[in-house]
Amino acid sequence: MPSVALADDVTLAARSWYLFDSLSSGDQLGTNGAGDTGSFTSETFTVLMKGGSISYRSDDFLPATTFTATGLFGSDTKELTIRGGSVINFPGQTFQQLMFSEQRTPQDLRRRDFEVTAQTRINDLLSWTLGVRYERARVRFTSQVTNYSSNPFTNKVDVTTIVSAPFSGGYDLFSLRGGVALAAPLNENRRTLLYANAMGFVGRRENKDRIAAPQYDDASFIGPDLTVGLSHRLAPNIALDIRYRAQFFFSISGSGSFSEPKTTHGPSLGLSYGF
């Protein structure tokens, strides 16, 4: 992640990221051999992540390398819908019993992102970037299940509603990243910089509750982590930056499909102060 060289030693930044997170949601549809069907759909979480970062560069130890630690926190609520249906046949009879259930569950997502990177300057424009990242997502929910069952003898539909006890689930995702960063001045005084960052990563997601949240199965991912943005120096030691960051998660193990990657992406705003 390129940054404005505000000082030789330390830079502090307040940062926000408006995140569209499909990795924490999804859609599935299945049918078993008996003809039963089931599906779950969840809206994409949109999370306002807030936090900050601190960067450090030493004049004596690896003077061409800047180390940055970033922490972001956010939450959102979206509804998960699960539907299932089955048909019961009675031997020797012409009638059937139809059964259908629908579960509606408000999901409360709490997300925590922590990242540490090392950026080593190659020349005035390019830098190598290496990093580790930890993403922690926790979802709490209480589901309401409505069951519909046709009565073949009365031709009526019986309806029952069940409210479950609260559940919690989620995942931890660890990843290693590496790539190249570009920082190009757009004017002679270098007050405005265009920057871009292209990294590849390999990561592992670990489910924290298989029963309550089976959509977060253990899985491994590879993919790109891409950033593009502008930074403008407001004062000798203050800079404002705006960027767009996108991560694409291609599943190489678990129930996900490599051809249908999950994404987390969105605009980010930062205000840096160097001293």
Side-chain angles (χ1 to χ4, degrees):
M1 179 177 65
S3 60
V4 180
L6 298 175
D8 289 341
D9 296 317
V10 179
T11 300
L12 299 177
R15 183 162 302 283
S16 64
W17 185 18
Y18 191 70
L19 175 66
F20 299 89
D21 180 11
S22 72
L23 186 66
S24 300
S25 58
D27 302 283
Q28 287 189 4
L29 173 67
T31 302
N32 64 19
D36 301 336
T37 61
S39 69
F40 79 76
T41 59
S42 178
E43 302 173 77
T44 297
F45 286 105
T46 54
V47 187
L48 178 59
M49 305 288 290
K50 295 170 287 186
S53 64
I54 180 170
S55 301
Y56 175 74
R57 186 188 67 82
S58 171
D59 289 329
D60 301 319
F61 176 71
L62 299 176
T65 300
T66 300
F67 299 91
T68 302
T70 302
L72 296 172
F73 310 86
S75 61
D76 187 32
T77 299
K78 286 293 185 292
E79 185 171 88
L80 169 70
T81 302
I82 300 176
R83 297 182 177 92
S86 62
V87 178
I88 299 177
N89 297 300
F90 296 88
Q93 304 295 329
T94 59
F95 53 78
Q96 297 175 320
Q97 183 179 19
L98 305 179
M99 303 183 70
F100 176 78
S101 66
E102 182 178 62
Q103 172 180 316
R104 293 189 176 275
T105 307
Q107 301 181 102
D108 297 319
L109 171 70
R110 293 181 300 164
R111 179 168 168 142
R112 308 288 185 264
D113 291 6
F114 300 96
E115 188 171 40
V116 177
T117 61
Q119 182 175 303
T120 300
R121 188 173 64 252
I122 301 173
N123 53 41
D124 289 340
L125 296 178
L126 298 175
S127 301
W128 295 114
T129 301
L130 295 174
V132 294
R133 183 175 175 86
Y134 167 62
E135 300 174 16
R136 182 183 190 272
R138 294 293 184 270
V139 180
R140 298 180 183 274
F141 50 90
T142 301
S143 62
Q144 177 176 298
V145 181
T146 303
N147 297 307
Y148 303 87
S149 175
S150 65
N151 190 318
F153 303 103
T154 64
N155 292 324
K156 295 182 178 180
V157 177
D158 299 324
V159 180
T160 59
T161 300
I162 302 172
V163 178
S164 73
F167 284 101
S168 63
Y171 63 85
D172 293 332
L173 194 150
F174 305 86
S175 60
L176 299 175
R177 296 158 189 259
V180 178
L182 166 72
L186 298 182
N187 43 39
E188 293 184 359
N189 58 14
R190 299 181 65 90
R191 290 192 63 185
T192 304
L193 294 177
L194 167 69
Y195 63 79
N197 193 357
M199 292 191 293
F201 69 85
V202 57
R204 177 69 177 172
R205 181 178 69 185
E206 297 181 356
N207 191 348
K208 307 313 293 183
D209 192 329
R210 300 177 191 280
I211 297 176
Q215 66 269 36
Y216 307 135
D217 61 342
D218 289 352
S220 297
F221 299 95
I222 59 173
D225 181 352
L226 308 174
T227 303
V228 63
L230 292 172
S231 180
H232 182 71
R233 191 168 68 250
L234 304 175
N237 58 345
I238 299 175
L240 177 70
D241 70 78
I242 184 169
R243 71 182 68 171
Y244 203 96
R245 183 175 186 178
Q247 302 175 88
F248 299 85
F249 297 83
F250 292 87
S251 177
I252 55 176
S253 72
S255 62
S257 171
F258 186 87
S259 62
E260 298 179 355
K262 299 291 187 179
T263 61
T264 59
H265 65 96
S268 174
L269 186 67
L271 183 64
S272 303
Y273 179 81
F275 57 93

